[in-house]
Amino acid sequence: QNLIHTIESNAFEKLKSLRTLDLCENHLNTFHKDIFIDSLPSLYLLNLRQTNLTKIEPNAFRGLSNLNELNLDGNYLHSWDIKQIDIPSLRVLRISSNNFSGTAIKENMFDKLPSLQTLIMVDCGISQLPDTLFTRTTNLIHIDLTRNQLRAINRNLFARLNVLKELKLNGNVINDFPHMALSNISTMEILSLSHNAISNIDFFKFT
């Protein structure tokens, strides 16, 4: 843990070969634009876990053309901030323990992340997901929505996720799970629905 509050633009411009940058447990509050402009072309993993982030400005990650994994766990971000993440190369996004309960999840929240394969949104207070949330993230393989407040799953929510292998929905309050929600996903290997309020699922209709 450090006491970093601000990162100046191009603070890392001499570190052209840097692969991992761990800034977790600092006090950044706002992640400002143009911090990484043309400075970290090799960065693979960026850890901003528990950095007291309340805002992400547009273009905050511009210049991270090869970033594979971004960890934003344990902050105070809203869906609008996640929408600002414009990283076409990103494959893993961790945004657990951010409180989305007071704001609606935006339907285009992940549209700028076309390569996303793993999405971890555990313990975020989410009660509802728009059915077009994953329209542009068709490469998703792993989704973890454990310990939220989801009551129902829209039948079209996962309609475009033809390579999805793992879906974790345990620890919600789901009482309605339409079999059509997964009817077109032949790649599914792990489905976790424990600790919900589901009374019946006709699993025969999945076949």
Side-chain angles (χ1 to χ4, degrees), residues 12-13 15-16 18 21 36-43 63-66:
F12 307 102
E13 68 174 325
L15 306 176
K16 300 297 184 183
L18 192 67
L21 178 58
F36 300 113
I37 284 185
D38 300 324
S39 58
L40 294 176
S42 300
L43 195 66
L64 301 183
S65 56
N66 291 303

Side-chain angles (χ1 to χ4, degrees), residues 171-186:
N172 282 276
V173 287
I174 298 170
N175 53 40
D176 182 17
F177 194 97
H179 73 275
M180 289 297 293
L182 302 176
S183 62
N184 67 323
I185 306 178
S186 60

Side-chain angles (χ1 to χ4, degrees), residues 171-202:
N172 282 276
V173 287
I174 298 170
N175 53 40
D176 182 17
F177 194 97
H179 73 275
M180 289 297 293
L182 302 176
S183 62
N184 67 323
I185 306 178
S186 60
T187 54
M188 184 70 70
E189 296 178 359
I190 300 173
L191 175 61
S192 181
L193 297 171
S194 64
H195 297 94
N196 276 284
I198 301 170
S199 59
N200 181 57
I201 299 180
D202 191 345

Side-chain angles (χ1 to χ4, degrees), residues 34-84:
D34 299 338
I35 291 176
F36 300 113
I37 284 185
D38 300 324
S39 58
L40 294 176
S42 300
L43 195 66
Y44 186 84
L45 188 155
L46 177 58
N47 188 359
L48 297 171
R49 178 178 57 85
Q50 294 182 342
T51 48
N52 289 293
L53 283 176
T54 60
K55 181 179 181 181
I56 295 176
E57 293 185 349
N59 298 319
F61 301 102
R62 187 167 63 173
L64 301 183
S65 56
N66 291 303
L67 191 67
N68 183 84
E69 181 172 345
L70 176 61
N71 190 336
L72 291 166
D73 289 347
N75 285 292
Y76 304 95
L77 299 170
H78 300 293
S79 59
W80 173 260
D81 298 294
I82 306 304
K83 184 184 175 183
Q84 305 309 312

Side-chain angles (χ1 to χ4, degrees), residues 90-110:
L90 196 70
R91 287 179 169 79
V92 180
L93 177 61
R94 303 179 187 275
I95 50 177
S96 297
S97 299
N98 284 274
N99 189 0
F100 298 130
S101 61
T103 58
I105 299 295
K106 296 186 178 300
E107 60 183 18
N108 54 359
M109 187 171 170
F110 304 115

Side-chain angles (χ1 to χ4, degrees), residues 123-136:
D123 194 23
C124 290
I126 300 169
S127 59
Q128 187 175 0
L129 296 172
D131 59 2
T132 56
L133 181 64
F134 301 123
T135 299
R136 301 289 181 87

